[in-house]
Coordinates of all heavy atoms in Angstrom, one line a residue:
E50 N 117.2 140.8 124.2 CA 118.2 140.1 123.5 C 118.2 140.2 122.0 O 117.1 140.4 121.4 CB 118.2 138.6 123.9 CG 118.3 138.3 125.3 CD 117.9 136.8 125.6 OE1 116.7 136.6 125.7 OE2 118.8 136.0 125.7
H51 N 119.3 140.1 121.4 CA 119.3 140.1 119.9 C 118.8 138.8 119.4 O 118.8 137.7 120.1 CB 120.8 140.2 119.4 CG 121.3 141.6 119.4 ND1 121.9 142.2 120.5 CD2 121.2 142.6 118.5 CE1 122.3 143.4 120.2 NE2 121.8 143.7 119.0
H52 N 118.2 138.8 118.2 CA 117.7 137.6 117.5 C 118.0 137.8 116.1 O 117.9 138.9 115.5 CB 116.2 137.5 117.7 CG 115.6 136.2 117.2 ND1 115.7 135.0 117.9 CD2 114.9 135.9 116.1 CE1 115.1 134.1 117.2 NE2 114.6 134.6 116.1
A53 N 118.5 136.7 115.4 CA 119.0 136.8 114.1 C 118.8 135.5 113.3 O 118.7 134.4 113.8 CB 120.5 137.2 114.1
M54 N 118.6 135.7 112.0 CA 118.6 134.6 111.0 C 119.6 134.9 109.9 O 119.8 136.0 109.4 CB 117.2 134.6 110.4 CG 117.0 133.7 109.1 SD 115.3 133.8 108.5 CE 115.6 133.2 106.8
M55 N 120.3 133.9 109.5 CA 121.4 134.0 108.5 C 121.0 133.2 107.3 O 120.5 132.1 107.4 CB 122.7 133.5 109.1 CG 123.9 133.6 108.1 SD 125.4 133.0 108.9 CE 125.3 131.3 108.8
V56 N 121.2 133.8 106.1 CA 121.0 133.1 104.8 C 122.3 133.1 104.1 O 122.9 134.1 103.7 CB 119.9 133.9 104.0 CG1 119.6 133.1 102.7 CG2 118.6 134.0 104.8
H57 N 122.8 131.8 103.9 CA 124.1 131.6 103.3 C 123.9 130.6 102.1 O 124.0 129.4 102.3 CB 125.0 131.0 104.4 CG 126.4 130.9 104.0 ND1 126.8 130.4 102.8 CD2 127.6 131.2 104.6 CE1 128.1 130.4 102.7 NE2 128.6 130.8 103.8
L58 N 123.6 131.2 100.9 CA 123.3 130.3 99.8 C 124.4 130.2 98.8 O 124.4 129.4 97.9 CB 122.0 130.8 99.1 CG 120.8 130.7 100.0 CD1 119.6 131.2 99.1 CD2 120.5 129.3 100.5
S59 N 125.4 131.2 98.8 CA 126.4 131.2 97.8 C 127.6 131.9 98.4 O 127.5 132.9 99.1 CB 125.9 131.9 96.6 OG 127.0 132.1 95.7
L60 N 128.8 131.4 98.0 CA 130.1 132.1 98.4 C 130.4 133.2 97.4 O 131.2 134.1 97.8 CB 131.2 131.1 98.4 CG 131.3 130.1 99.6 CD1 132.5 129.2 99.4 CD2 131.4 130.9 100.9
I61 N 129.8 133.2 96.3 CA 130.2 134.2 95.2 C 129.6 135.6 95.6 O 128.4 135.8 95.8 CB 129.6 133.8 93.9 CG1 130.2 132.4 93.5 CG2 130.0 134.8 92.8 CD1 129.6 131.8 92.3
K62 N 130.5 136.6 95.7 CA 130.2 137.9 96.1 C 129.1 138.5 95.2 O 128.1 139.2 95.8 CB 131.4 138.8 96.1 CG 131.2 140.2 96.6 CD 132.5 140.9 96.8 CE 133.3 141.0 95.5 NZ 134.6 141.7 95.7
E63 N 129.2 138.3 93.9 CA 128.2 138.9 93.0 C 126.8 138.3 93.2 O 125.8 138.9 92.7 CB 128.7 138.7 91.6 CG 129.9 139.5 91.2 CD 131.2 139.0 91.8 OE1 131.2 137.8 92.2 OE2 132.2 139.7 91.9
N64 N 126.7 137.2 93.8 CA 125.3 136.6 94.0 C 124.6 137.1 95.2 O 123.3 136.9 95.3 CB 125.5 135.1 94.2 CG 125.9 134.3 92.9 OD1 125.9 134.9 91.9 ND2 126.2 133.1 93.1
Q65 N 125.2 137.8 96.1 CA 124.6 138.2 97.4 C 123.4 139.1 97.2 O 122.4 139.0 97.9 CB 125.6 138.7 98.3 CG 126.8 137.8 98.6 CD 126.4 136.4 98.8 OE1 125.4 136.1 99.6 NE2 127.1 135.4 98.3
K66 N 123.5 140.1 96.3 CA 122.3 141.0 96.1 C 121.1 140.2 95.6 O 120.0 140.5 96.0 CB 122.7 142.1 95.1 CG 123.6 143.2 95.7 CD 123.8 144.3 94.8 CE 124.6 145.4 95.4 NZ 124.8 146.6 94.4
S67 N 121.4 139.2 94.7 CA 120.2 138.4 94.2 C 119.6 137.6 95.3 O 118.4 137.4 95.4 CB 120.7 137.5 93.1 OG 121.2 138.3 92.0
V68 N 120.5 137.1 96.2 CA 120.0 136.3 97.4 C 119.1 137.2 98.2 O 118.1 136.8 98.7 CB 121.2 135.7 98.2 CG1 120.6 135.0 99.4 CG2 121.9 134.7 97.3
R69 N 119.6 138.4 98.5 CA 118.8 139.3 99.3 C 117.5 139.6 98.6 O 116.4 139.7 99.3 CB 119.6 140.6 99.5 CG 118.8 141.6 100.4 CD 119.6 142.7 100.9 NE 120.0 143.6 99.9 CZ 120.8 144.7 100.0 NH1 121.2 145.1 101.3 NH2 121.1 145.5 99.0
Q70 N 117.4 139.8 97.3 CA 116.2 140.0 96.6 C 115.2 138.8 96.8 O 114.0 139.0 97.0 CB 116.5 140.2 95.1 CG 117.0 141.5 94.7 CD 117.2 141.7 93.2 OE1 118.3 141.3 92.7 NE2 116.2 142.1 92.5
I71 N 115.8 137.6 96.8 CA 114.9 136.4 97.0 C 114.3 136.4 98.4 O 113.1 136.2 98.6 CB 115.7 135.2 96.7 CG1 116.0 135.0 95.2 CG2 114.9 133.9 97.1 CD1 117.0 133.9 94.9
V72 N 115.1 136.8 99.4 CA 114.7 136.8 100.7 C 113.6 137.9 100.9 O 112.5 137.7 101.5 CB 115.8 137.1 101.7 CG1 115.3 137.3 103.1 CG2 116.8 136.0 101.7
E73 N 113.8 139.1 100.3 CA 112.8 140.1 100.3 C 111.5 139.7 99.6 O 110.4 140.0 100.1 CB 113.3 141.4 99.6 CG 114.5 142.1 100.3 CD 115.1 143.2 99.4 OE1 114.9 143.2 98.2 OE2 115.8 144.0 100.0
M74 N 111.6 138.9 98.6 CA 110.4 138.4 97.8 C 109.7 137.4 98.6 O 108.4 137.3 98.6 CB 110.9 137.8 96.5 CG 109.8 137.3 95.6 SD 110.5 136.7 94.0 CE 111.4 135.2 94.6
E75 N 110.4 136.6 99.4 CA 109.7 135.5 100.2 C 109.1 136.0 101.5 O 108.2 135.4 102.1 CB 110.7 134.4 100.4 CG 111.1 133.6 99.2 CD 109.9 133.0 98.5 OE1 109.2 132.2 99.1 OE2 109.7 133.2 97.3
W76 N 109.7 137.1 102.0 CA 109.3 137.6 103.4 C 107.8 137.8 103.5 O 107.1 137.3 104.4 CB 110.1 138.8 103.7 CG 109.7 139.4 105.0 CD1 109.0 140.6 105.2 CD2 110.0 139.0 106.3 NE1 108.8 140.9 106.5 CE2 109.4 139.9 107.2 CE3 110.7 137.9 106.8 CZ2 109.5 139.8 108.6 CZ3 110.8 137.7 108.2 CH2 110.2 138.7 109.1
P77 N 107.1 138.6 102.5 CA 105.7 138.8 102.7 C 104.8 137.5 102.7 O 103.8 137.5 103.3 CB 105.4 139.7 101.4 CG 106.7 140.3 101.0 CD 107.7 139.3 101.4
K78 N 105.3 136.5 102.0 CA 104.6 135.3 102.0 C 104.6 134.6 103.3 O 103.6 134.0 103.8 CB 105.1 134.3 100.9 CG 105.1 134.9 99.5 CD 105.9 134.0 98.5 CE 106.0 134.6 97.1 NZ 106.8 133.8 96.2
A79 N 105.8 134.6 104.0 CA 105.9 134.1 105.3 C 105.1 134.9 106.3 O 104.5 134.3 107.2 CB 107.4 134.0 105.7
V80 N 105.1 136.2 106.2 CA 104.3 137.0 107.1 C 102.8 136.7 106.9 O 102.1 136.6 107.9 CB 104.6 138.5 106.8 CG1 103.6 139.4 107.6 CG2 106.0 138.9 107.2
E81 N 102.4 136.5 105.7 CA 101.0 136.2 105.4 C 100.6 134.9 106.0 O 99.5 134.7 106.6 CB 100.7 136.2 103.9 CG 99.3 135.8 103.5 CD 98.2 136.6 104.2 OE1 98.4 137.8 104.4 OE2 97.1 136.1 104.4
N82 N 101.5 133.9 106.0 CA 101.3 132.6 106.7 C 101.0 132.8 108.2 O 100.2 132.2 108.8 CB 102.4 131.7 106.5 CG 102.5 131.1 105.1 OD1 101.4 130.9 104.4 ND2 103.7 130.7 104.6
Y83 N 101.8 133.7 108.8 CA 101.6 134.0 110.2 C 100.3 134.8 110.4 O 99.5 134.4 111.3 CB 102.8 134.9 110.7 CG 102.5 135.6 112.0 CD1 102.2 134.9 113.1 CD2 102.6 137.0 112.0 CE1 101.9 135.6 114.3 CE2 102.3 137.7 113.2 CZ 102.0 137.0 114.3 OH 101.7 137.7 115.5
K84 N 100.0 135.8 109.6 CA 98.9 136.6 109.8 C 97.6 135.8 109.6 O 96.5 136.1 110.2 CB 98.9 137.8 108.9 CG 100.0 138.8 109.1 CD 99.8 139.6 110.4 CE 100.9 140.7 110.5 NZ 100.8 141.4 111.8
S85 N 97.6 134.8 108.8 CA 96.4 134.1 108.5 C 96.2 132.9 109.4 O 95.2 132.2 109.3 CB 96.5 133.5 107.0 OG 97.5 132.6 106.9
F86 N 97.1 132.7 110.3 CA 97.0 131.6 111.3 C 96.1 131.9 112.5 O 96.2 133.0 113.1 CB 98.4 131.2 111.8 CG 98.4 130.1 112.8 CD1 98.0 128.9 112.5 CD2 98.8 130.4 114.1 CE1 98.0 127.9 113.5 CE2 98.8 129.4 115.1 CZ 98.4 128.1 114.8
D87 N 95.2 131.0 112.8 CA 94.4 131.0 113.9 C 94.6 129.7 114.7 O 94.4 128.7 114.2 CB 92.9 131.2 113.6 CG 92.0 131.4 114.8 OD1 91.7 130.4 115.4 OD2 91.7 132.6 115.2
L88 N 95.0 129.9 116.0 CA 95.3 128.7 116.8 C 94.1 127.7 116.9 O 94.3 126.5 116.9 CB 95.8 129.1 118.2 CG 96.3 128.0 119.1 CD1 97.6 127.4 118.5 CD2 96.6 128.6 120.5
E89 N 92.9 128.3 116.9 CA 91.7 127.4 117.1 C 91.1 126.9 115.8 O 90.6 125.7 115.8 CB 90.6 128.3 117.8 CG 91.0 128.9 119.2 CD 91.4 127.8 120.2 OE1 90.8 126.7 120.1 OE2 92.3 128.1 121.0
T90 N 91.2 127.6 114.7 CA 90.5 127.2 113.5 C 91.4 126.8 112.3 O 90.9 126.1 111.4 CB 89.6 128.3 113.1 OG1 90.3 129.5 112.8 CG2 88.6 128.7 114.2
S91 N 92.6 127.2 112.3 CA 93.5 126.8 111.2 C 93.7 125.3 111.1 O 93.9 124.6 112.1 CB 94.8 127.5 111.3 OG 94.7 128.9 111.1
P92 N 93.6 124.8 109.8 CA 93.8 123.3 109.7 C 95.2 122.8 110.0 O 96.1 123.6 110.2 CB 93.5 123.1 108.2 CG 93.8 124.4 107.6 CD 93.5 125.5 108.6
E93 N 95.3 121.5 110.2 CA 96.5 120.9 110.6 C 97.6 121.2 109.6 O 98.8 121.2 109.9 CB 96.4 119.4 110.8 CG 95.6 119.0 112.0 CD 96.3 119.5 113.3 OE1 97.6 119.2 113.4 OE2 95.7 120.0 114.2
N94 N 97.3 121.3 108.3 CA 98.3 121.5 107.3 C 98.6 123.0 107.0 O 99.3 123.3 106.0 CB 97.9 120.8 106.0 CG 96.6 121.4 105.4 OD1 95.9 122.2 106.0 ND2 96.3 121.0 104.1
H95 N 98.1 123.8 107.8 CA 98.5 125.3 107.7 C 100.0 125.4 107.8 O 100.5 124.9 108.8 CB 97.7 126.1 108.7 CG 97.8 127.6 108.5 ND1 99.0 128.3 108.7 CD2 97.0 128.5 108.0 CE1 98.8 129.6 108.4 NE2 97.6 129.7 108.0
P96 N 100.7 126.1 106.9 CA 102.1 126.2 107.0 C 102.6 126.7 108.3 O 103.6 126.2 108.9 CB 102.5 127.2 105.9 CG 101.3 127.1 104.9 CD 100.1 126.8 105.8
F97 N 102.0 127.7 108.9 CA 102.5 128.2 110.2 C 102.2 127.3 111.4 O 103.0 127.1 112.3 CB 101.8 129.6 110.5 CG 102.5 130.3 111.6 CD1 103.6 131.1 111.3 CD2 102.1 130.3 112.9 CE1 104.3 131.8 112.3 CE2 102.8 131.0 113.9 CZ 103.9 131.8 113.6
R98 N 101.1 126.5 111.3 CA 100.8 125.5 112.4 C 101.9 124.5 112.4 O 102.3 124.0 113.5 CB 99.4 124.9 112.2 CG 99.1 124.0 113.3 CD 97.7 123.3 113.1 NE 96.6 124.2 113.3 CZ 96.1 124.6 114.4 NH1 96.7 124.3 115.6 NH2 95.1 125.4 114.5

Side-chain angles (χ1 to χ4, degrees):
E50 300 167 279
H51 281 90
H52 188 75
M54 168 179 161
M55 181 177 81
V56 183
H57 187 315
L58 298 182
S59 172
L60 286 178
I61 301 172
K62 183 169 59 178
E63 291 73 19
N64 288 352
Q65 305 312 320
K66 285 187 177 180
S67 296
V68 174
R69 183 169 67 178
Q70 284 181 270
I71 291 172
V72 174
E73 290 172 342
M74 182 176 69
E75 292 300 306
W76 176 255
K78 302 173 187 177
V80 172
E81 176 56 31
N82 284 335
Y83 160 62
K84 295 290 187 181
S85 66
F86 174 65
D87 184 279
L88 187 64
E89 303 299 328
T90 62
S91 292
E93 287 297 316
N94 63 349
H95 189 284
F97 195 84
R98 183 182 292 281

